[in-house]
Amino acid sequence: MSKRRNNRKRTRRQPASPLADKPFRQLTNPLPPVELLRAEQIERLHDASMHILEEIGIDFLDEETLALWQAAGARVDHQSQHVWFERELITSLVAKAPAEFTLFARNPAHSIQVGGNHINFATVGAAPYYSDMEAGRRPGTLADFRRMVKLAQICTPIHMVEGLLVEPQDVPIPLRHLEKWISQLTLSDKTHTTAAHGREVATDYVNMAAIAFGGLETIQKRPVLASNVNANSPLRFDQRMLGALIVYSRYGQPAIITPFILAGAMSPITMAAAIAQQNAEALAGIALTQLVNPGCPVIYGGFTTNIDMQSGSPAFGTPEGAQALLCGAQLARYYGLPYRGSGGLNNSKLPDAQAAYETQMSLWPAVLAHANIILHSAGWLEAGLVCSLEKFILDVEGLAVMHHFLAGLDISDETLALDSIAEVGPGGHHFGTAHTMARYRDAFYMPIVSDRQNYDAWQENGALDAAQRAHRLAKQLLDTYERPPLDPAINEALQSYVSRKKEDYQTETRDKQ
Amino acid sequence: MSKRRNNRKRTRRQPASPLADKPFRQLTNPLPPVELLRAEQIERLHDASMHILEEIGIDFLDEETLALWQAAGARVDHQSQHVWFERELITSLVAKAPAEFTLFARNPAHSIQVGGNHINFATVGAAPYYSDMEAGRRPGTLADFRRMVKLAQICTPIHMVEGLLVEPQDVPIPLRHLEKWISQLTLSDKTHTTAAHGREVATDYVNMAAIAFGGLETIQKRPVLASNVNANSPLRFDQRMLGALIVYSRYGQPAIITPFILAGAMSPITMAAAIAQQNAEALAGIALTQLVNPGCPVIYGGFTTNIDMQSGSPAFGTPEGAQALLCGAQLARYYGLPYRGSGGLNNSKLPDAQAAYETQMSLWPAVLAHANIILHSAGWLEAGLVCSLEKFILDVEGLAVMHHFLAGLDISDETLALDSIAEVGPGGHHFGTAHTMARYRDAFYMPIVSDRQNYDAWQENGALDAAQRAHRLAKQLLDTYERPPLDPAINEALQSYVSRKKEDYQTETRDKQ
């Protein structure tokens, strides 16, 4: 009822969304991937990684995993939960993973290709705090999470909703993944990432995905969620991550195996070492997915950046991070694997110039590298601690610009317009030509939040900076939100799955008291 | 005396400059140039340009130029000051220009290579207004000009001082170039661009350069200034630009032939046409330099972007501009010419997020394109109307980051540090290892203005945004300025040249009254 009223209001009063001329679309990078390393340097890094896997080894803090490795012929020390690998074991397992696959969305038009030169932008993930200009900076809530999912659904340049978007700290921890996942599945029909928080949580994610996407068998053939699985670098995977990796892989859902390396802390301070170690850890995790389920889709994840040696803080949007991103992509291609990078990383506390230039310092390399999934593309602030409403919108502008840039140029008789050049001749102008009049509405990229007025007009309109305009636009866009259609039976089944789990939790909590 | 006191103070109180670990250096881009167009698309654009030159032709509003073209065999209509060219005439002249040359600085360590994969960053140019947080936005003054030259001299990531930096509107127009040039020559020992404001002004620039650099014959062999020569697009060069082009070329100083194209206004609205027209205009200007002085260094300039069809304003830092920049570089390479692009372009009224992301949207393509001279790399705001002190510093950070990024990675036994990885093992950290301790001071890029503190520390330090910190840093850096050494005889000769010109001007002005 109130929804219908909103719709009527919108028809009367809302201006056209600046995203209206930017429909959702698959994105590819037509340029060859930018390669920072020469072939022999890649071989050198590969060799170093193989040395790490063979001679130094990796901790797997999970008995099921150790048993899998032992059965596969790796050398396992159960006491220290440590594994050493022959390089052939790793490379032969990694070779089973597909180079490209489709990740399916509830809306088929929103399904994405992962691999090759396909580029997909995902929202920020895993921010404990939320901020906007009115609310300030505060612990995230479920309302914040749901608002950001809606915004991700609205913003057409975004391909994926990161399931850890902003942490709903007002929800008890054991219920958070349920509230997040049902919000994602019901408020958005784009593709999703989910959490890798142990066997139980991963099983809930898979079960609910099965409800939403036509059953377990269907999703085993047609993956519907990707999950970031971090190595606890250096050289360790913990039980929580491994449990999720095993569940997701068993059900054919791609893990994004991402070593969490801040060079100088979790790896040696030299970037070559950081990248070699990243590669060893990523390959060990990727090989494990193929041990669980040969041929299962999996993604090579790179997140390596450096520590700031002055403050001891992680440093984001750095030139070292940009280098690591490009090198990681080259290694992923070397092994024939899809690659995940990051866009939008920065250390700024505000959606200011620093936030923007550091963001571009991770977005550009990610796009140039052919990173197939670019996490944290929108909304990341303050070293990832904050999901910012305004930054989200500013980033969406950056992503829309990148979409337009990568669409390339049409060189044809029509676009070369030699007759128009002759018609106007020297010293004239092209404002009123037939060629211009036929094309002026959609010839150029139209910004969503960037201001191109002259100084006086800008002043008359309130002299707002980009972040202030982004705040205003976020609210306008949220006002246009419409829930994507969902079979009521599926919706009900999802709701009852979550209700049952909530009841179990309440019973458990009561029993403990 | 007061200078010596300042020096003493500095020794006592000044903190080390954050630029101290970033010495001036030649910059090359080790990556292959990014090419947006396929070979046959380049041929298509070339053909379209040749058609424009042959069939449509170009205005040259200067009798000396028309005589030169006529003598060379072009078809000239003196009545309309219009010229048509056989394509062989253009291509054979263009082929005489060198692919690479050295532009000499007063300090030999600051000389630059122009061509190949050399990248050189120049300051903003031609801003009528100056702004900083204290002064606000106001017409530029000579004091502003001189302050910005000093800052360009201090900021090591900057290679070139753009001679139109900010317009000293408090100086009578006929004297401005004299005040600017003597300021550039005495306050900085880096390379320079100068103005193309007719024969008389260009002659002053050349005469003063001869004084500063060892005589006319010397600078004819060793060029010391580059000048942006704009086509008055569409298809026209005016007398002021042509007069300067002829003087500079005659004395061996490179012109940067830059069509001024905002697609939709000075060219058809389709980017293919804009680029084809840019190419025709640029080649006509370049050919003219070779007619004046065969073998003279010259630079292909690209500045093509689009009009914003909503506001009618020029739009900067756009995806269309990025595409044009890459295509222009491909065309320049096709003809074996050095290329000029732009970094730092944007439409923002403030040094905010928009200013930063639009800036990166022109800096990245310029670097990827192998633009050999990147004008407007620091300080540009508000569609080029404003030279901003804070934006200058924020841009210098971006340029320093790019320097670091392009330095690439060292992959060696030492940097792979396999022993360190083994030593720390799984789950440990690398903070205190010998490998880290030996390298932590200079392992990573250290920001000059970006903040990497945690939220609490940032708040305790005043919760400043990037622009506020940039303002503070600009003042600190200016406090460290030292005038580069200059032979007192040269200084005196320059001063007396300018004084004489000033006296002439005063006499003329009095005579007119």
Side-chain angles (χ1 to χ4, degrees):
Chain A
M1 176 66 176
S2 90
K3 182 140 185 277
R4 215 169 298 150
R5 202 165 52 237
N6 274 341
N7 274 339
R8 266 210 307 278
K9 255 201 247 165
R10 188 161 54 252
T11 316
R12 266 207 325 273
R13 293 181 5 197
Q14 290 286 339
S17 159
L19 291 166
D21 66 336
K22 299 168 184 70
F24 179 96
R25 60 184 189 82
Q26 303 292 325
L27 182 61
T28 53
N29 180 351
L31 302 167
V34 166
E35 311 227 300
L36 200 60
L37 299 172
R38 298 185 304 278
E40 71 271 21
Q41 291 179 305
I42 287 287
E43 291 293 342
R44 192 81 190 269
L45 284 167
H46 168 75
D47 267 347
S49 310
M50 293 299 129
H51 172 92
I52 293 168
L53 291 166
E54 292 182 328
E55 306 294 331
I56 305 175
I58 289 187
D59 280 359
F60 288 87
L61 310 186
D62 179 71
E63 283 308 318
E64 184 183 0
T65 304
L66 293 174
L68 282 166
W69 280 128
Q70 191 151 25
R75 183 153 68 92
V76 174
D77 179 340
H78 285 273
Q79 180 74 31
S80 62
Q81 300 189 296
H82 197 72
V83 185
W84 297 262
F85 316 81
E86 296 294 320
R87 64 178 65 196
E88 290 73 20
L89 174 61
I90 293 291
T91 53
S92 64
L93 284 168
V94 166
K96 295 180 200 288
E100 187 172 330
F101 62 91
T102 306
L103 192 67
F104 291 88
R106 245 189 348 95
N107 178 349
H110 287 165
S111 296
I112 62 173
Q113 278 302 102
V114 181
N117 67 349
H118 295 276
I119 308 280
N120 298 286
F121 296 126
T123 66
V124 63
Y129 295 93
Y130 168 85
S131 86
D132 73 43
M133 281 184 175
E134 277 172 67
R137 178 187 186 271
R138 58 154 194 236
T141 65
L142 184 58
D144 296 332
F145 183 89
R146 292 173 64 88
R147 185 181 320 110
M148 296 311 294
V149 173
K150 289 178 185 175
L151 204 52
Q153 171 70 7
I154 293 165
C155 290
T156 44
I158 304 263
H159 298 95
M160 303 183 79
V161 181
E162 221 287 347
L164 300 174
L165 195 39
V166 54
E167 193 63 9
Q169 298 201 42
D170 52 346
V171 177
I173 290 174
L175 302 180
R176 281 185 195 166
H177 67 286
L178 300 164
E179 293 287 12
K180 287 190 285 188
W181 192 215
I182 196 165
S183 299
Q184 287 175 261
L185 287 171
T186 56
L187 299 177
S188 173
D189 61 7
K190 295 188 175 176
T191 47
H192 301 283
T193 73
T194 58
H197 292 167
R199 286 172 170 79
E200 201 178 335
V201 166
T203 304
D204 281 336
Y205 273 111
V206 168
N207 287 341
M208 288 170 68
I211 295 170
F213 287 89
L216 266 183
E217 269 184 54
T218 305
I219 67 168
Q220 275 179 284
K221 283 176 228 141
R222 298 160 53 93
V224 299
L225 59 88
S227 178
N228 205 50
V229 169
N230 284 125
N232 301 43
S233 309
L235 308 177
R236 175 175 286 169
F237 286 85
D238 68 20
Q239 188 170 32
R240 184 169 139 111
M241 289 291 162
L242 290 169
L245 179 154
I246 289 171
V247 171
Y248 287 135
S249 298
R250 193 158 286 149
Y251 290 100
Q253 307 306 304
I256 308 170
I257 309 291
T258 311
F260 192 96
I261 296 180
L262 305 168
M266 293 85 140
S267 82
I269 198 164
T270 39
M271 292 311 293
I275 294 162
Q277 183 186 311
Q278 169 191 294
N279 195 48
E281 294 172 1
L283 292 180
I286 290 162
L288 177 60
T289 66
Q290 302 305 305
L291 209 51
V292 173
N293 183 2
C296 170
V298 60
I299 298 158
Y300 184 124
F303 186 72
T304 297
T305 183
N306 58 295
I307 279 283
D308 179 67
M309 297 312 284
Q310 309 248 286
S311 62
S313 304
F316 292 108
T318 67
E320 294 84 0
Q323 292 171 338
L325 208 165
L326 286 163
C327 296
Q330 273 188 269
L331 286 162
R333 270 191 298 282
Y334 179 83
Y335 302 113
L337 295 166
Y339 183 63
R340 167 251 151 142
S342 307
L345 305 187
N346 69 88
N347 278 61
S348 189
K349 317 302 174 287
L350 299 167
D352 64 354
Q354 179 186 339
Y357 63 68
E358 287 180 340
T359 283
Q360 294 286 322
M361 197 67 203
S362 74
L363 180 63
W364 270 96
V367 168
L368 295 171
H370 288 196
N372 306 115
I373 291 181
I374 305 184
L375 292 187
H376 310 305
S377 293
W380 166 299
L381 215 57
E382 205 189 310
L385 291 177
V386 170
C387 168
S388 155
L389 183 73
E390 293 83 13
K391 176 66 163 38
F392 192 96
I393 295 293
L394 295 167
D395 287 338
V396 166
E397 178 91 274
L399 302 181
V401 164
M402 200 53 91
H403 271 267
H404 193 103
F405 171 70
L406 292 176
L409 276 168
D410 174 26
I411 314 281
S412 64
D413 282 349
E414 194 197 312
T415 58
L416 286 167
L418 294 173
D419 290 347
S420 261
I421 292 174
E423 175 196 333
V424 169
H429 68 76
H430 286 258
F431 284 121
T433 66
H435 184 80
T436 299
M437 295 310 285
R439 289 167 184 79
Y440 76 95
R441 279 176 214 280
D442 54 3
F444 301 130
Y445 175 78
M446 278 201 286
I448 64 167
V449 70
S450 298
D451 182 273
R452 292 176 175 174
Q453 303 171 94
N454 65 34
Y455 186 77
D456 292 340
W458 171 76
Q459 277 211 315
E460 278 161 32
N461 285 310
L464 302 183
D465 71 15
Q468 289 169 314
R469 295 192 306 272
H471 183 81
R472 192 174 56 186
L473 178 58
K475 286 162 82 176
Q476 284 168 4
L477 289 174
L478 283 166
D479 227 26
T480 69
Y481 174 76
E482 282 180 47
R483 196 183 274 243
L486 175 63
D487 180 339
I490 291 176
N491 188 33
E492 202 176 309
L494 288 170
Q495 303 292 350
S496 75
Y497 188 94
V498 171
S499 299
R500 206 165 54 242
K501 286 281 174 173
K502 275 188 186 169
E503 280 160 31
D504 292 352
Y505 167 72
Q506 273 146 14
T507 309
E508 272 172 50
T509 313
R510 203 179 43 237
D511 291 353
K512 273 188 204 146
Q513 282 170 350
Chain B
M1 176 66 177
S2 91
K3 181 138 185 281
R4 213 172 296 150
R5 202 163 53 236
N6 276 341
N7 274 340
R8 265 211 307 278
K9 257 203 245 161
R10 188 162 54 252
T11 317
R12 265 208 324 272
R13 292 179 8 194
Q14 291 286 335
S17 160
L19 291 166
D21 65 337
K22 300 168 184 71
F24 178 96
R25 63 185 188 79
Q26 305 291 325
L27 182 61
T28 54
N29 180 352
L31 301 168
V34 166
E35 311 226 304
L36 200 59
L37 299 172
R38 297 184 304 277
E40 72 270 21
Q41 291 179 305
I42 287 288
E43 290 294 342
R44 192 84 190 269
L45 284 167
H46 168 73
D47 267 348
S49 309
M50 292 300 128
H51 172 93
I52 293 168
L53 292 166
E54 290 181 330
E55 305 295 332
I56 306 176
I58 290 187
D59 279 0
F60 288 87
L61 309 185
D62 180 71
E63 284 307 319
E64 185 182 0
T65 304
L66 293 173
L68 281 165
W69 280 128
Q70 190 150 26
R75 181 153 67 93
V76 174
D77 179 342
H78 285 273
Q79 181 74 33
S80 62
Q81 301 189 300
H82 196 72
V83 184
W84 296 261
F85 316 82
E86 296 294 320
R87 64 179 64 197
E88 291 72 21
L89 175 60
I90 293 290
T91 54
S92 65
L93 283 168
V94 166
K96 294 182 201 287
E100 187 171 329
F101 62 90
T102 305
L103 192 67
F104 291 88
R106 237 174 15 79
N107 177 348
H110 287 166
S111 296
I112 62 172
Q113 278 302 103
V114 181
N117 67 349
H118 295 276
I119 308 281
N120 297 288
F121 296 126
T123 65
V124 64
Y129 295 92
Y130 169 84
S131 87
D132 73 43
M133 282 185 174
E134 276 171 69
R137 178 185 186 273
R138 58 155 194 237
T141 65
L142 184 58
D144 296 332
F145 183 90
R146 292 172 64 86
R147 185 181 320 111
M148 296 312 294
V149 173
K150 289 178 184 174
L151 204 51
Q153 171 71 7
I154 293 165
C155 289
T156 45
I158 304 263
H159 299 96
M160 301 183 79
V161 181
E162 220 290 344
L164 301 174
L165 195 40
V166 56
E167 193 62 10
Q169 298 201 40
D170 53 344
V171 177
I173 290 174
L175 301 180
R176 283 186 194 166
H177 67 285
L178 300 164
E179 293 289 10
K180 287 191 284 189
W181 192 215
I182 197 166
S183 299
Q184 288 175 260
L185 288 171
T186 57
L187 299 178
S188 173
D189 61 8
K190 294 187 176 177
T191 48
H192 301 283
T193 73
T194 59
H197 293 169
R199 287 171 169 80
E200 201 178 334
V201 167
T203 304
D204 280 336
Y205 273 112
V206 168
N207 287 340
M208 288 170 69
I211 295 170
F213 287 89
L216 266 182
E217 270 185 53
T218 305
I219 67 167
Q220 276 180 281
K221 282 177 229 142
R222 297 159 55 92
V224 299
L225 60 88
S227 178
N228 206 52
V229 170
N230 284 124
N232 300 41
S233 309
L235 308 176
R236 176 175 285 169
F237 286 85
D238 69 19
Q239 188 169 33
R240 186 168 138 111
M241 289 291 163
L242 290 168
L245 180 152
I246 289 171
V247 171
Y248 287 136
S249 298
R250 191 159 287 149
Y251 290 101
Q253 307 306 303
I256 307 171
I257 309 290
T258 312
F260 192 95
I261 296 181
L262 305 169
M266 294 87 142
S267 83
I269 198 165
T270 40
M271 293 309 293
I275 295 163
Q277 183 185 311
Q278 169 191 292
N279 195 49
E281 294 171 1
L283 292 180
I286 290 161
L288 177 60
T289 66
Q290 302 306 304
L291 208 52
V292 174
N293 184 1
C296 170
V298 61
I299 297 158
Y300 184 125
F303 187 70
T304 298
T305 183
N306 57 296
I307 280 282
D308 178 67
M309 297 312 285
Q310 308 249 287
S311 62
S313 305
F316 292 108
T318 67
E320 293 85 1
Q323 291 170 339
L325 207 164
L326 287 163
C327 296
Q330 273 188 270
L331 285 161
R333 269 192 299 281
Y334 178 84
Y335 302 112
L337 296 166
Y339 184 63
R340 167 252 151 141
S342 306
L345 306 186
N346 68 88
N347 277 62
S348 188
K349 317 302 173 289
L350 300 167
D352 63 354
Q354 178 186 341
Y357 63 69
E358 287 180 341
T359 284
Q360 294 288 320
M361 197 69 203
S362 74
L363 180 63
W364 269 97
V367 168
L368 294 172
H370 287 195
N372 306 117
I373 291 181
I374 305 185
L375 291 188
H376 310 305
S377 294
W380 167 298
L381 215 56
E382 204 187 310
L385 291 176
V386 169
C387 168
S388 155
L389 184 72
E390 293 84 13
K391 176 68 162 38
F392 192 97
I393 295 294
L394 295 167
D395 286 340
V396 167
E397 178 90 273
L399 302 181
V401 164
M402 200 54 90
H403 271 268
H404 193 102
F405 171 70
L406 293 175
L409 276 168
D410 174 26
I411 314 279
S412 63
D413 282 348
E414 195 196 312
T415 59
L416 286 167
L418 295 173
D419 290 348
S420 262
I421 293 174
E423 175 195 331
V424 169
H429 70 76
H430 286 257
F431 284 122
T433 66
H435 184 80
T436 300
M437 295 310 285
R439 289 167 185 81
Y440 77 95
R441 278 177 214 280
D442 54 3
F444 302 129
Y445 175 78
M446 278 201 286
I448 65 168
V449 71
S450 298
D451 183 273
R452 293 176 174 173
Q453 302 172 94
N454 65 35
Y455 187 76
D456 292 341
W458 172 76
Q459 277 212 313
E460 276 160 33
N461 286 311
L464 302 182
D465 72 13
Q468 290 169 315
R469 295 192 305 272
H471 183 82
R472 191 173 58 186
L473 179 58
K475 286 163 80 176
Q476 284 168 2
L477 289 174
L478 283 165
D479 226 28
T480 70
Y481 174 77
E482 281 180 47
R483 196 183 272 244
L486 174 64
D487 179 339
I490 290 176
N491 187 34
E492 202 175 310
L494 287 170
Q495 302 293 349
S496 77
Y497 187 94
V498 171
S499 299
R500 206 164 56 242
K501 286 280 171 174
K502 276 188 185 169
E503 279 160 31
D504 293 352
Y505 167 73
Q506 273 144 15
T507 311
E508 274 172 49
T509 313
R510 202 179 44 236
D511 291 353
K512 273 188 206 147
Q513 284 167 349

